[in-house]
Amino acid sequence: MIKRGRKYGIVLLLATQSPTKDSIPREVTRNVSCGVAFSVADQVANDGLLGSGKYAAGIRATELRINTDRGTCVAVGITDETFELVRTFYLPFEDGADDVTPVISRAMALIEEMGRAVESSARPQLEAAAPVAVDHLADVAAVLDREKRVRTQVVLTRLARHDPGEYGEWTFRDLKAALAPYGVAPVKSDGNKVIRADDVAAALDRRDRDDGNGADDGHGDGRDSGRDAAGTQGPLPDESLTESPCPDQHEHGSETPGTRRRPNPEPGRNPGDSGTGEGPSLPPRRPDAGR
């Protein structure tokens, strides 16, 4: 705190009426930047508050008189001076006596006259964060703790321990209503109402599949979400489908558009005329055939 406090605007004040090497850790005296000593009785207390060797250097709070110099202290590290005598005052702020506010008001006025701005000490108002939706089904699955079936009362107890703010006052009716939209319901087992882990796991799986396939109307598994509505023929064809084909599209055959090309005929057979509907004829007989 001493080393890094000033970087974050934290000022640490340490006070003791027993300034000895045993009461003040050495790491503290090595890292403090300022030392203040009111009237002390000996060299040990003097150097314990102001730093080692200060008494020998003539910086001595032992010379302050207890009653006459009340409120006066020896200070080091406040300015660039080796040491300073600082006069302090007690300002009452109690029982209707307020001597503190006038001092603060005067200090603020002097700061404004110097053209310096003082940041407000009022705490900034933080915007309330949006409430996080609670996943009841996932929470129930978590508190089942891999058990095949758990009594509903035990589930409620575990939920209250898991999230007291959400489930602290839940009843059996609340649990049943939360699981109903997922098709999960408490069932009887050995005379007790239980929640089965298989039912919850199946509900989670169904929900994950529905989320992956997109939202649907709640009926089916979401696979028909991209189909056209009944009684429609789908979207109209693109204009490119009604344009005339390019000339080079006829290079592959002489068939008219819309006809199916016949397969290659067997060797020696007349394929007939294309597009007439006449089948292939037998080849002509040779004069010597059948002799």
Side-chain angles (χ1 to χ4, degrees):
M1 291 291 292
I2 295 172
K3 290 179 180 179
R4 302 186 180 184
R6 289 177 296 175
K7 178 179 179 181
Y8 301 100
I10 300 174
V11 179
L12 186 64
L13 302 179
L14 303 175
T16 178
Q17 290 183 331
S18 178
T20 64
K21 63 179 181 179
D22 296 329
S23 62
I24 304 178
R26 182 170 297 181
E27 290 298 322
V28 172
T29 58
R30 286 178 176 176
N31 288 283
V32 293
S33 57
C34 302
V36 175
F38 290 88
S39 176
V40 295
D42 52 36
Q43 174 185 350
V44 175
N46 184 89
D47 288 358
L49 294 171
L50 301 178
S52 179
K54 292 297 189 291
Y55 184 89
I59 305 174
R60 303 175 180 177
T62 55
E63 297 180 0
L64 294 175
R65 296 162 296 180
I66 295 178
N67 293 324
T68 304
D69 296 324
R70 176 183 297 177
T72 301
C73 63
V74 178
V76 297
I78 297 179
T79 65
D80 293 336
E81 299 294 333
T82 305
F83 74 97
E84 291 179 301
L85 289 177
V86 180
R87 183 72 184 272
T88 65
F89 297 87
Y90 174 74
L91 300 179
F93 187 73
E94 54 192 9
D95 298 334
D98 181 7
D99 291 344
V100 176
T101 300
V103 175
I104 296 175
S105 300
R106 186 175 68 219
M108 297 295 292
L110 292 174
I111 291 174
E112 291 179 359
E113 290 178 5
M114 296 175 63
R116 297 175 57 187
V118 179
E119 295 182 1
S120 174
S121 60
R123 294 185 177 181
Q125 297 294 330
L126 300 178
E127 296 182 2
V132 179
V134 179
D135 192 340
H136 297 146
L137 185 62
D139 287 345
V140 171
V143 300
L144 290 180
D145 198 19
R146 300 182 180 180
E147 299 180 32
K148 292 184 177 180
R149 59 182 64 87
V150 180
R151 293 179 58 184
T152 54
Q153 190 59 42
V154 176
V155 172
L156 289 171
T157 302
R158 293 179 180 178
L159 286 173
R161 190 183 306 119
H162 173 73
D163 188 349
E166 178 69 17
Y167 304 107
E169 298 182 358
W170 265 35
T171 63
F172 173 78
R173 182 176 299 177
D174 297 322
L175 178 62
K176 183 178 180 180
L179 296 178
Y182 304 104
V184 179
V187 297
K188 270 197 173 185
S189 177
D190 296 332
N192 299 313
K193 286 286 187 178
V194 299
I195 302 295
R196 294 188 300 191
D198 290 343
D199 295 342
V200 177
L204 285 171
D205 186 58
R206 287 195 303 270
R207 187 178 69 176
D208 292 342
R209 289 202 309 270
D210 292 343
D211 292 343
N213 293 330
D216 54 17
D217 58 357
H219 303 285
D221 56 5
R223 290 177 294 181
D224 297 332
S225 58
R227 296 183 180 179
D228 297 327
T232 66
Q233 298 297 325
L236 294 175
D238 190 89
E239 293 181 359
S240 61
L241 299 180
T242 62
E243 296 178 357
S244 300
C246 298
D248 58 352
Q249 292 183 356
H250 295 281
E251 296 178 358
H252 301 286
S254 59
E255 296 87 353
T256 59
T259 62
R260 185 168 54 185
R261 188 171 184 176
R262 297 179 180 275
N264 293 331
E266 298 179 5
R269 298 181 69 89
N270 183 9
D273 295 332
S274 174
T276 61
E278 298 179 1
S281 60
L282 295 175
R285 299 184 59 182
R286 297 171 58 183
D288 56 352
R291 290 186 180 178

